[in-house]
Amino acid sequence: MSQVLSERVPTEILLVPRGEGGHFLLAALGWLGKRIAVTAQPGAANHVLCLPVLDFVRLGFPELNGRLDLLEPGDAENLRAGRAALLLDLSNEGPGLHAPTFEALHRNLAGLGIPRDRVILVTQNRLLRLDYERHYGEGLRFWTFDFFPLQVALWLDAEAGPRLFPQHPLDRTGYTPFARASGPARFLCQNAALRWHRVLLYRWFQLSGLDRDGLISFHGIGEDNPKAGGINVFHAPPEIEAAFGTLLADIGSWIPRRAQRIDADQRTDMVMTLDTQAYADCDLTVISETDFFELGVERITEKSLKAAATGLPFVMVGAPRAVERLSELGFQTFGGLIDHHYDLVADPAERLPLVFRSIERAWSACRDDRVRWQRMARDQAQANVAHARHGLLPQLDRVMVVPLIERLGRFMETGAIVH
């Protein structure tokens, strides 16, 4: 995170929503009981105008002038005069830099005379500010906030959950890791939205024979996968074809046309679900994250938090520093059992073979001596389950929410917007 400010937070932080739906940050601060006031008419006080971005590309759409047409009369003048800040709420996503989108945003801001330094883009991606400033210099302010991970942390928390959600996912079945004492070892790997690293991972499982040992879901390219349209599996990007063409060979013969599920079909409710029975039946999990091949992205999503919360040792198929991020949030990462050297490798073409090697080594150790594997993992596993119930939410509050509130507080008192 950027610098944490020490100034006193004012009694009220005035947040002014414009537009309907997608006010993720505003909802999260309300859930947490932070000192905010939501109003449509802020008067003469400093205030923060909140625009729901919903998805990254909308900032470049000509319709609604890149979302800026959601502003009301007087908002632009307040921004020009320094009485307001404009917060673009993208706390539900974490994309990398897309130059055409930012250039469109710059044009739209200039058309209204809104200085770039009055605009805060809230995103999950911790690298976006660095890439932006390399391209454009000082301009927009970038803050980080992870809406869906925070939502899941609230859901997992032993105290906070009932105020928002009807059940604790880890309590309702009396969940404990390594509950299955007999039978062969198993690993778990769940894949839904179609992405290139998941296609390659699925095929690698097949070719290496590991598909016989795992509980593997892969929703494929059929109509029963609502997230199958993200990529065209028959036309790989040149860099992926060059590095992994062998794995992609003859893809039409093995890519599933119907979703291969190990859990109930929840339609679009993929965030607030957790198949505790599948985790209880397994000894290792391969976490298939959202990001892998997109450069300039550093984040984890709720997928990693849910898997870590179950306590199983894990290998991460995700963006660089994803394992380190889990450690920063207080989870054990099983360094004595799992080789996580892949975690700091920036080049995805180099990182994926290292991930495959880590899976092979971990699975060989687990399969060959399951009793020893569970004995070596149990303390960390139980610590992670306990952390999800009692420590994760306070940690997210300390490292993510409180710094953001303090920045908002500084703006309310002084009008200054800091990184």
Side-chain angles (χ1 to χ4, degrees):
M1 298 289 292
S2 304
Q3 62 184 9
V4 176
L5 306 174
S6 58
E7 281 76 13
R8 178 182 59 85
V9 176
T11 301
E12 281 190 329
I13 294 170
L14 296 182
L15 301 182
V16 183
R18 299 297 192 222
E20 300 296 329
H23 287 289
F24 297 104
L25 179 62
L26 193 151
L29 297 180
W31 288 342
L32 293 168
K34 298 302 180 181
R35 293 180 177 177
I36 63 172
V38 180
T39 178
Q41 302 296 330
N46 287 344
H47 56 278
V48 180
L49 297 159
C50 300
L51 289 189
V53 175
L54 300 177
D55 57 73
F56 193 52
V57 296
R58 294 189 189 217
L59 291 174
F61 281 179
E63 302 92 284
L64 291 181
N65 202 27
R67 310 294 286 169
L68 297 186
D69 278 4
L70 297 176
L71 295 175
E72 295 184 3
D75 287 345
E77 174 56 32
N78 284 331
L79 289 163
R80 290 190 292 266
R83 291 186 294 272
L86 178 61
L87 189 150
L88 303 175
D89 187 352
L90 192 65
S91 59
N92 60 312
E93 288 191 10
L97 183 76
H98 182 246
T101 294
F102 278 103
E103 288 157 11
L105 175 59
H106 291 162
R107 288 192 302 271
N108 291 331
L109 291 171
L112 293 174
I114 299 172
R116 295 180 191 179
D117 63 5
R118 306 307 299 171
V119 180
I120 305 158
L121 179 60
V122 179
T123 173
Q124 296 179 7
N125 182 9
R126 284 150 183 79
L127 296 183
L128 188 57
R129 174 192 171 188
L130 299 177
D131 284 345
Y132 176 89
E133 291 183 350
R134 275 195 290 267
H135 281 76
Y136 305 109
E138 187 78 8
L140 305 181
R141 302 311 194 215
F142 290 86
W143 296 357
T144 55
F145 197 89
D146 300 297
F147 173 77
F148 288 118
L150 180 63
Q151 186 182 28
V152 165
L154 282 158
W155 185 49
L156 294 167
D157 191 83
E159 301 300 326
R163 295 202 299 267
L164 295 171
F165 310 108
Q167 293 176 311
H168 290 306
L170 297 182
D171 289 344
R172 63 176 181 251
T173 59
Y175 175 82
T176 183
F178 309 129
R180 188 173 58 91
S182 59
R186 288 169 128 177
F187 72 86
L188 176 68
C189 183
Q190 302 186 76
N191 306 270
L194 200 63
R195 297 183 182 271
W196 281 111
H197 63 285
R198 293 173 180 158
V199 172
L200 294 167
L201 179 63
Y202 178 77
R203 183 57 171 164
W204 180 78
F205 281 143
Q206 287 183 323
L207 294 177
S208 62
L210 268 67
D211 58 328
R212 297 188 295 269
D213 298 327
L215 294 177
I216 301 169
S217 68
F218 184 68
H219 291 191
I221 62 173
E223 293 181 357
D224 57 347
N225 181 4
K227 297 186 176 182
I231 63 174
N232 182 348
V233 299
F234 301 104
H235 294 89
E239 63 275 15
I240 294 179
E241 179 65 36
F244 303 107
T246 302
L247 283 176
L248 294 173
D250 198 25
I251 192 170
S253 67
W254 53 263
I255 193 79
R257 263 68 173 189
R258 289 186 59 81
Q260 299 184 1
R261 297 180 180 275
I262 60 174
D263 52 2
D265 182 359
Q266 301 291 337
R267 300 300 175 187
T268 59
D269 181 14
M270 301 295 290
V271 175
M272 306 300 286
T273 58
L274 181 60
D275 187 351
T276 53
Q277 188 59 54
Y279 284 98
D281 286 345
C282 290
D283 309 282
L284 169 73
T285 183
V286 177
I287 302 174
S288 176
E289 256 291 1
T290 297
D291 306 297
F292 194 90
F293 282 104
E294 185 174 8
L295 301 177
V297 173
E298 185 178 294
R299 67 161 178 160
I300 56 173
T301 73
E302 74 284 348
K303 302 173 187 65
S304 293
L305 293 190
K306 289 191 293 185
T310 65
L312 295 189
F314 61 86
V315 178
M316 179 79 75
V317 191
R321 290 194 73 249
V323 177
E324 189 170 332
R325 178 64 178 154
L326 279 178
S327 178
E328 292 167 355
L329 292 180
F331 285 107
Q332 304 293 315
T333 59
F334 302 92
L337 286 175
I338 309 288
D339 178 4
H340 289 305
H341 285 110
Y342 59 84
D343 193 47
L344 298 180
V345 177
D347 184 345
E350 295 180 15
R351 188 166 68 255
L352 190 56
L354 296 177
V355 171
F356 290 160
R357 188 179 309 165
S358 179
I359 296 171
E360 283 184 314
R361 290 175 175 173
W363 181 238
S364 177
C366 176
R367 180 187 56 209
D368 293 348
D369 194 339
R370 183 171 176 239
V371 173
R372 179 177 181 273
W373 173 271
Q374 291 190 357
R375 184 176 68 251
M376 293 182 65
R378 193 173 301 279
D379 286 349
Q380 291 187 68
Q382 291 175 346
N384 280 351
V385 174
H387 180 65
R389 289 172 172 159
H390 305 289
L392 176 61
L393 184 59
Q395 178 69 354
L396 278 169
D397 192 40
R398 283 190 296 270
V399 304
M400 181 179 75
V401 182
V402 169
L404 182 139
I405 288 290
E406 290 177 335
R407 292 184 185 96
L408 289 171
R410 164 68 73 88
F411 166 73
M412 291 297 299
E413 291 184 340
T414 69
I417 305 172
V418 299
H419 283 299

